[in-house]
Amino acid sequence: SQTIHQWPATLVQPVGSPLSLECTVEGTSNPNLYWYRQAAGRGLQLLFYSVGIGQISSEVPQNLSASRPQDRQFILSSKKLLLSDSGFYLCAWSFSQGYEQYFGPGTRLTVT
Amino acid sequence: TQLLEQSPQFLSIQEGENLTVYCNSSSVFSSLQWYRQEPGEGPVLLVTVVTGGEVKKLKRLTFQFGDARKDSSLHITAAQPGDTGLYLCAGISGEGKIIFGKGTRLHILP
């Protein structure tokens, strides 16, 4: 069976500091991978998705970037965090585009 | 732009009552998913419906996909405190893109 991991679970960072959130998937090959941000326990905002190694599509221009250095590893980064980057970050995977997505446990980021 | 509207946004009911929440759109979807999310955790997939008019049951939860594949409902019978959470619907468009609703926050009072 497939599992998805995210770390860290929680993070408190000062404004202007860098960020690196990691997501890994086990039990499947060449998954589609996604990064979402969720504000105030409500809807999901798609930030990035990837259909393969080194292939990243950005949905919303912002202070963040994503990379996929390995087939089942997806990283969300920032060089300098803003207060507005605070939120709950979720990674998800799917077998392919057009299939249901499976989510990781999330990372709560607080920028102070 | 395809949108999924979920209603109500918030619902608080007593344990043992029945409830229905809705997910509506003016667009057709090839499939639709329902997720439940608890505070501080990722959404968990409950069901996928694919065929217009399809009904799926998961214990006390009944999911229905509209005949025209534009809307869906989730009915919970005899709600329990463990049903508390944020219920998200998500539709997959003909182009393969997934669109999420903003969710219904359900609170079951013991």
Side-chain angles (χ1 to χ4, degrees):
Chain A
S1 63
Q2 299 86 15
T3 56
I4 178 169
H5 305 279
Q6 284 186 246
W7 63 89
T10 60
L11 191 60
V12 180
Q13 292 283 100
V15 168
S17 63
L19 173 74
S20 181
L21 303 181
E22 190 165 344
C23 171
T24 59
V25 179
E26 296 176 355
T28 188
S29 295
N30 196 31
N32 279 18
L33 296 172
Y34 308 84
W35 277 112
Y36 289 89
R37 179 166 56 205
Q38 185 176 37
R42 295 288 286 167
L44 304 173
Q45 179 188 30
L46 179 62
L47 302 175
F48 302 95
Y49 70 92
S50 172
V51 299
I53 296 174
Q55 300 178 63
I56 309 294
S57 297
S58 174
E59 289 292 302
V60 183
Q62 58 205 307
N63 184 40
L64 302 169
S65 62
S67 62
R68 186 171 176 173
Q70 299 181 43
D71 180 46
R72 290 169 290 177
Q73 184 185 31
F74 205 24
I75 297 172
L76 183 69
S77 304
S78 174
K79 292 182 179 178
K80 289 185 178 182
L81 283 168
L82 306 172
L83 284 174
S84 57
D85 292 324
S86 293
F88 191 51
Y89 288 83
L90 288 159
C91 181
W93 73 274
S94 67
F95 286 108
S96 182
Q97 191 173 19
Y99 287 80
E100 56 265 273
Q101 296 181 8
Y102 299 90
F103 287 85
T107 295
R108 171 73 57 192
L109 171 65
T110 303
V111 182
T112 60
Chain B
T1 303
Q2 291 178 297
L3 292 173
L4 272 172
E5 301 286 342
Q6 290 193 245
S7 61
Q9 291 185 33
F10 303 95
L11 183 59
S12 182
I13 65 169
Q14 291 292 137
E15 180 178 0
E17 293 184 358
N18 301 333
L19 67 106
T20 303
V21 297
Y22 301 92
C23 177
N24 295 303
S25 177
S26 58
S27 303
V28 176
F29 293 101
S30 60
S31 69
L32 192 140
Q33 290 80 45
W34 283 93
Y35 295 80
R36 179 169 63 215
Q37 184 180 20
E38 300 192 18
E41 300 181 9
V44 175
L45 179 66
L46 297 175
V47 77
T48 296
V49 285
V50 179
T51 306
E54 182 177 3
V55 176
K56 282 193 174 178
K57 292 193 175 185
L58 187 66
K59 297 182 181 178
R60 295 175 293 99
L61 278 61
T62 302
F63 305 86
Q64 183 162 9
F65 202 13
D67 291 341
R69 290 186 287 130
K70 293 181 179 181
D71 52 79
S72 180
S73 63
L74 159 58
H75 181 79
I76 301 179
T77 303
Q80 298 178 3
D83 296 325
T84 292
L86 178 68
Y87 288 81
L88 293 162
C89 69
I92 295 184
S93 70
E95 295 78 35
K97 288 198 169 182
I98 190 166
I99 296 141
F100 281 90
K102 293 187 177 181
T104 292
R105 184 161 297 284
L106 176 63
H107 185 54
I108 308 301
L109 303 167

